[in-house]
Structure formats: C-alpha cells, structure tokens
Amino acid sequence: ELKVEQNPLFLSMQEGKNYTIYCNYSTTSDRLYWYRQDPGKSLESLFVLLSNGAVKQEGRLMASLDTKARLSTLHITAAVHDLSATYFCAVDIANYGGSQGNLIFGKGTKLSVKP
Amino acid sequence: DAGITQSPRHKVTETGTPVTLRCHQTENHRYMYWYRQDPGHGLRLIHYSYGVKDTDKGEVSDGYSVSRSKTEDFLLTLESATSSQTSVYFCAIGGAWQYFGPGTRLTVT
C-alpha cells in the first residue's frame, strides 16, 4: 500500500522558534511537493523537489528531499504568525505506474504560530 | 492565479440524488484532476484526465464518474449521492506542478 506519512499532525509553535515537519513515503518517487492551505481556502503550491538532495527555500521555509531515505523535510526558521496554516506533502506516483501528476497526499500538518 | 473555476461552490443535496460538479480551466492544460478532502485524510484523488475523453481512476473512484468532452471542462458526477460523499471537492490542473481550484463544499443529507 502506498503511504505518505507526515509528522507531527499538529504543531503549536512560538514566534521566533525553529521547527521541522517530516514527510515519509513508502514508494519510490523522485518528485515530491509541498503545499500550504489556509482555513477554508484552496491549496497553494510551495515547492516541488525533483531529485535526491534537492533543497528549495522561500523566505522562512526550506524543503529538502532524500529519495534514498524516502524522506522530505520542511524546515521553518524563526516562525511568524503568518505561517499559521496546514502544510501538506504529496508524492507523485508516476514511477509506480501512475500517470504524471497522480499525487498521494499526506494528512497534513496543522501549524499554529503563537506570539 | 491559474485560471480554474469550480461550480457550484456550495451545494446541499439529498441522499440518492445525482450531482454534477464542474471544473473549468482557461489554461489549456492537458491534465485535470478531481480530489476530495476530508478531515484526517488529506486529499485523495478521485479521477483524473490526461486529455479529451481520456480519463482514469484514482484512489477513491467508487461512486464517482467523470467526463471530459472539451479541454477546458472536467465534470465529476455522483450518480446517487450518499452521506459518505459529503466532502470538499477540489479540481486541479497541471502535471509536474498542480494548481488547485477554489473547491466545492458538498453536503449530502
């Protein structure tokens, strides 16, 4: 069974602190995505990681991919309230016989950043 | 924002009635997808399309059918709605990088 597991599922942080969200997946894939979702809103694309060792950074968020360990991380640096949202990772299972863009999502990490 | 619209945005229907959700894009993209989002499950793929009249099943396709007669429109049909299909439905376009529509909140009573 294909699985994408995120942890933690809930994360309460103080502003200014650092933290990491983990995304483990059970299938071979060289394409992993991170999305952000605000309450009641649609999903916003953050990063696509296309190869082993890929690292992408945007502002206070940095994502990395280790395909050998089947692990991606989303690191938050010096959190601010505006980062409060739910973050999803998703794995493209095209390598597993699926069509391109056939994504398996994790359950999401709900991040709350408090002053 | 990618040009994706969904209609209706909200719908309440009764068990056993047919329901059709529409996704419309102005990006001329080949790939289109339907997902459902439920608490505790993240997003799950229902069906996807890789061209006009070319569709395939996703992870949770039972009880759903789709059609794509034009590049810009991808329809999701619940032939006989059940309460377990109460959910938020998202359409997406793209391949390696997907863009999501605003969502349709469907309640089946």
Side-chain angles (χ1 to χ4, degrees), chain B residues 19-106:
Chain B
V19 177
T20 295
L21 309 182
R22 180 182 184 235
C23 177
H24 179 78
Q25 62 147 329
T26 58
E27 305 296 320
N28 199 36
H29 212 286
R30 180 183 172 195
Y31 285 89
M32 298 184 75
Y33 310 83
W34 277 108
Y35 292 89
R36 61 177 289 174
Q37 183 176 29
D38 304 290
H41 287 279
L43 276 81
R44 292 178 291 175
L45 182 65
I46 305 171
H47 281 279
Y48 63 97
S49 170
Y50 43 96
V52 172
K53 298 186 180 179
D54 291 324
T55 64
D56 207 345
K57 296 179 180 180
E59 184 184 356
V60 290
S61 59
D62 288 348
Y64 302 94
S65 62
V66 290
S67 66
R68 192 166 177 202
S69 59
K70 298 184 290 184
T71 299
E72 58 266 34
D73 289 325
F74 192 31
L75 303 181
L76 177 70
T77 297
L78 291 66
E79 300 290 347
S80 178
T82 67
S83 58
S84 65
Q85 293 175 313
T86 292
S87 187
V88 179
Y89 291 85
F90 286 100
C91 172
I93 66 172
W97 189 265
Q98 290 189 20
Y99 298 94
F100 284 78
T104 294
R105 184 173 295 276
L106 176 67

Side-chain angles (χ1 to χ4, degrees), chain A residues 68-89:
Chain A
K68 294 179 181 177
R70 300 182 185 177
L71 171 68
S72 180
T73 61
L74 181 66
H75 186 74
I76 304 155
T77 302
V80 293
H81 179 70
D82 285 352
L83 291 179
S84 296
T86 299
Y87 293 86
F88 292 94
C89 65

Side-chain angles (χ1 to χ4, degrees), chain A residues 22-77:
Chain A
Y22 297 88
C23 175
N24 291 90
Y25 54 99
S26 63
T27 182
T28 56
S29 176
D30 55 6
R31 192 173 290 152
L32 187 136
Y33 305 82
W34 284 96
Y35 289 90
R36 168 183 171 143
Q37 185 179 37
D38 293 303
K41 303 294 186 182
S42 186
L43 279 77
E44 173 190 354
S45 304
L46 293 176
F47 303 107
V48 56
L49 302 167
L50 299 176
S51 62
N52 187 42
V55 177
K56 294 280 185 72
Q57 183 163 5
E58 179 74 30
R60 300 173 187 275
L61 301 177
M62 183 174 71
S64 65
L65 178 63
D66 181 343
T67 58
K68 294 179 181 177
R70 300 182 185 177
L71 171 68
S72 180
T73 61
L74 181 66
H75 186 74
I76 304 155
T77 302

Side-chain angles (χ1 to χ4, degrees), chain A residues 11-19 60 76-84 111-115:
Chain A
L11 178 55
S12 181
M13 298 177 63
Q14 279 193 311
E15 282 191 330
K17 299 292 187 181
N18 304 333
Y19 210 84
R60 300 173 187 275
I76 304 155
T77 302
V80 293
H81 179 70
D82 285 352
L83 291 179
S84 296
L111 172 65
S112 175
V113 181
K114 302 183 185 302

